[in-house]
Amino acid sequence: MLKGRHLIDPMDFSIDEFEEIFNLAEEIISNPEEYMHVCEGKLLATLFYEPSTRTRFSFEAAMLRLGGKVLGFSEPNSSSAAKGESVADTIRTVACYADIAVMRHPKEGAPKVASMYSTIPVINAGDGGHHHPTQTLTDLLTIKSIKKGLGNHTIGLCGDLKFGRTVHSLIKALSRYENNKFILISPQELKIPDYIKKEVLQKNNISFLEVERMEEVIDKLDILYMTRVQRERFFNEEDYIRLKDSYILDEAKLKKAKEDMIVLHPLPRVNEIAYEIDKDSRARYFDQAKYGMYVRMALIAKLLGVK
Ligand code: NCD
């Protein structure tokens, strides 16, 4: 039963519950007009303490397409956070007005705190360099739809694996499906955190390899998940400048990849995928953004317990 639940960590839901959400998303994709009114009279609050395009817009579009309404803030200076209000008090207030809330926050754990004080479902839309479970739902629905299944893949994750919350959540979630292998491509300084390696990969005996060069491994991949170097999480600008262009996927590199490999990216892209790649049939990141809206429609409907 998903009604009334929070989604803070990708492991909060079982794989059967994920499946329930994907099934509904697929149904909505096939028959959107049947879902146009299911959230009538319901309000979604978006509490964004950090910048966002896709996540916030796709949540808002999702609620509007379900017939509900949205309210919220897209930067904390326009809310009482600027006066020093705590997340606990903000959510208790928002819960008086809305039926479901989505929160993005630079501090790891902030949406978790909110969920502990909330009487309405709270969805984590990204907490610092920690987790981003609804991007993971997006990524999984994309992979499931295009690659016909969530197991038996060799997944290359490339870029900022240290601060990239989408990567942390995706590894956790994909580790639950059969026979997935991970190739972790990053500079030394941006390697995957030890806790993911120990508590997720090693603990579950999942095969993984850490490399620095994309060219060495690109021919082995079924999925290449590119990420942006997370400038806002760096302690100094010099390190960011030195590392920001560590990987640039271009036509020459893509030539070596399998014909049916797919390139995903949570977006926004900065430099890490050359624009020339966009016309390649393997580039699926804008499809991915679209799946994100449908999967959020399904998530909202399930957490609100409508239809
Ligand atoms: C990601 C995020 O916010 O973590 N963006 C998104 O939600 N699609 C990735 C990023 O900002 O690099």
Side-chain angles (χ1 to χ4, degrees):
M1 182 74 161
L2 287 164
K3 184 178 176 186
R5 300 256 297 271
H6 306 295
L7 175 58
I8 305 300
D9 183 288
M11 306 306 256
D12 287 347
F13 294 173
S14 66
I15 38 182
D16 288 344
E17 288 165 339
F18 271 15
E19 208 52 37
E20 227 185 281
I21 294 168
F22 300 146
N23 289 340
L24 179 57
E26 282 159 2
E27 217 178 290
I28 296 173
I29 292 172
S30 322
N31 302 298
E33 56 294 330
E34 281 193 25
Y35 293 86
M36 270 164 55
H37 304 288
V38 296
C39 284
E40 244 158 40
K42 302 282 186 199
L43 281 179
L44 168 92
T46 50
L47 316 174
F48 277 65
Y49 296 79
E50 265 194 351
S52 169
T53 300
R54 272 144 297 269
T55 306
R56 189 168 61 85
F57 283 14
S58 66
F59 263 114
E60 295 191 358
M63 189 53 159
L64 295 169
R65 284 176 185 272
L66 293 168
K69 292 198 163 72
V70 297
L71 73 174
F73 55 85
S74 55
E75 63 118 2
N77 286 337
S78 62
S79 79
S80 280
K83 300 181 186 168
E85 186 172 58
S86 67
V87 155
D89 283 359
T90 300
I91 195 72
R92 278 185 287 196
T93 308
V94 169
C96 300
Y97 312 137
D99 302 288
I100 184 165
V102 182
M103 178 181 285
R104 168 170 289 187
H105 204 288
K107 286 213 179 97
E108 313 195 339
K112 172 81 188 165
V113 171
S115 72
M116 288 157 57
Y117 287 90
S118 180
T119 50
I120 59 172
V122 175
I123 300 170
N124 176 9
D127 61 326
H130 192 214
H131 277 298
H132 193 345
T134 67
Q135 182 64 46
T136 297
L137 287 175
T138 302
D139 301 338
L140 295 189
L141 179 63
T142 310
I143 295 169
K144 181 173 187 271
S145 306
I146 302 174
K147 301 294 283 181
K148 309 288 171 232
L150 289 166
N152 305 305
H153 298 309
T154 299
I155 305 116
L157 298 126
C158 177
D160 187 346
L161 308 188
K162 181 179 180 187
F163 296 115
R165 55 195 175 195
T166 63
V167 166
H168 306 156
S169 292
L170 184 58
I171 293 178
K172 254 185 163 178
L174 278 174
S175 292
R176 297 199 288 191
Y177 297 89
E178 290 282 292
N179 202 28
N180 283 325
K181 300 185 181 71
F182 297 95
I183 301 188
L184 307 170
I185 311 160
S186 75
Q188 279 299 327
E189 288 117 304
L190 298 178
K191 279 168 78 172
I192 198 87
D194 272 351
Y195 84 92
I196 298 277
K197 236 189 295 186
K198 291 199 181 110
E199 290 164 30
V200 182
L201 296 169
Q202 287 163 350
K203 192 171 160 191
N204 296 302
N205 268 326
I206 290 159
S207 150
F208 72 96
L209 179 69
E210 292 183 281
V211 299
E212 279 186 56
R213 282 171 50 83
M214 186 201 295
E215 294 86 327
E216 276 172 33
V217 294
I218 195 165
D219 60 325
K220 300 186 175 59
L221 305 177
D222 302 310
I223 298 158
L224 173 57
Y225 194 92
M226 295 296 295
T227 63
R228 164 183 79 90
V229 176
Q230 306 279 299
R231 181 180 200 163
E232 64 276 37
R233 317 256 179 252
F234 275 70
F235 293 110
N236 71 68
E237 187 73 2
E238 276 158 46
D239 287 347
Y240 169 71
I241 290 168
R242 186 166 45 80
L243 293 167
K244 74 183 169 67
D245 291 329
S246 299
Y247 302 100
I248 299 178
L249 180 65
D250 56 15
E251 269 175 355
K253 291 194 187 103
L254 196 59
K255 262 206 185 93
K256 302 203 185 91
K258 291 182 191 171
E259 276 305 305
D260 64 347
M261 184 190 82
I262 57 170
V263 183
L264 301 181
H265 192 311
L267 303 174
R269 107 172 102 182
V270 184
N271 259 339
E272 55 284 349
I273 301 180
Y275 275 73
E276 65 192 23
I277 301 296
D278 297 357
K279 58 181 186 310
D280 192 293
S281 59
R282 289 168 285 190
R284 302 306 291 266
Y285 25 91
F286 289 107
D287 298 318
Q288 188 184 355
K290 191 156 187 177
Y291 281 117
M293 181 185 71
Y294 289 116
V295 91
R296 289 177 174 113
M297 287 174 82
L299 176 66
I300 293 168
K302 286 286 176 191
L303 299 186
L304 289 177
V306 298
K307 189 151 172 175

